[in-house]
Amino acid sequence: MIPSLFIAASIRQVQRLQRAIRIAAPSVQIFDWTAAPGSQFFSFCADACMSADLVVCLGTGQESVIQAGMAYMAGIPVLGIRDRQMEPGFMMESCVSRWVDDMADVPPLVARLQHCLSRIETYSPEADMACPDCDLKSICRYFSLLADEDKRKV
């Protein structure tokens, strides 16, 4: 499985983060809103926020908060990058599954998530004992699905 992500940030921030992620996790599919035609911008972003495996939000601007909310409502994990100049409001704080302090923290997390999700089809609770203890489970869309599946087997 090739994981996908959407980055909710300014154009400059998106481009910078995309470059770093493509180096750390080259097979990750990045939904790039900067290439969406103006008339299709909203529908592109809405679709991406509701179908990506992870939404990365930088800052607490209106656009980022809306996109984080869309992802949250669709059950998509949201990785938030703290804004050093402004604390997130209650709504944004509640939507974010995990916070990091810097953009540089994102590519290694995405690379680890890519590695895990590449093995998802062969997941076995008996063989993959690390999954329940993994520190990525807060941003892994499939962890809760796997946990629910394991509960049904009992």
Side-chain angles (χ1 to χ4, degrees), residues 26 60-61 104 131 134:
T60 55
C131 199
C134 180

Side-chain angles (χ1 to χ4, degrees), residues 7-19:
I7 304 169
S10 72
I11 290 175
R12 208 167 4 118
Q13 293 164 329
V14 166
Q15 291 169 342
R16 188 170 146 215
L17 196 49
Q18 279 180 350
R19 281 192 300 274

Side-chain angles (χ1 to χ4, degrees), residues 7-8 16-17 21 54-60 78-88 92-93 95-113 135-136 138-139:
I7 304 169
R16 188 170 146 215
L17 196 49
I21 289 170
L54 179 67
V55 171
V56 178
C57 287
L58 182 75
T60 55
V78 177
L79 177 62
I81 303 170
R82 290 206 183 274
D83 184 337
R84 292 185 179 112
Q85 296 161 349
M86 181 186 295
E87 284 296 313
M92 184 67 163
E93 187 72 41
C95 287
V96 172
S97 309
R98 179 174 178 168
W99 288 96
V100 294
D101 292 322
D102 194 86
M103 247 197 294
D105 298 330
V106 175
L109 290 174
V110 172
R112 287 181 53 216
L113 194 60
D135 69 328
L136 296 178
S138 63
I139 58 169

Side-chain angles (χ1 to χ4, degrees), residues 2 9 17 22 29-30 38 57 75 77 91 99 105 110 115 125 129 134 137 140 143 147 154:
I2 298 173
L17 196 49
R22 288 187 205 286
Q29 177 186 3
I30 300 173
C57 287
M91 296 296 285
W99 288 96
D105 298 330
V110 172
H115 174 74
M129 296 306 289
C134 180
K137 64 185 171 188
C140 179
F143 177 78
V154 175

Side-chain angles (χ1 to χ4, degrees), residues 122-153:
T122 59
Y123 172 79
S124 161
E126 296 80 25
D128 293 311
M129 296 306 289
C131 199
D133 297 324
C134 180
D135 69 328
L136 296 178
K137 64 185 171 188
S138 63
I139 58 169
C140 179
R141 178 179 183 186
Y142 296 95
F143 177 78
S144 61
L145 298 175
L146 294 171
D148 289 345
E149 187 177 305
D150 290 346
K151 288 176 194 170
R152 286 194 293 271
K153 290 179 184 177

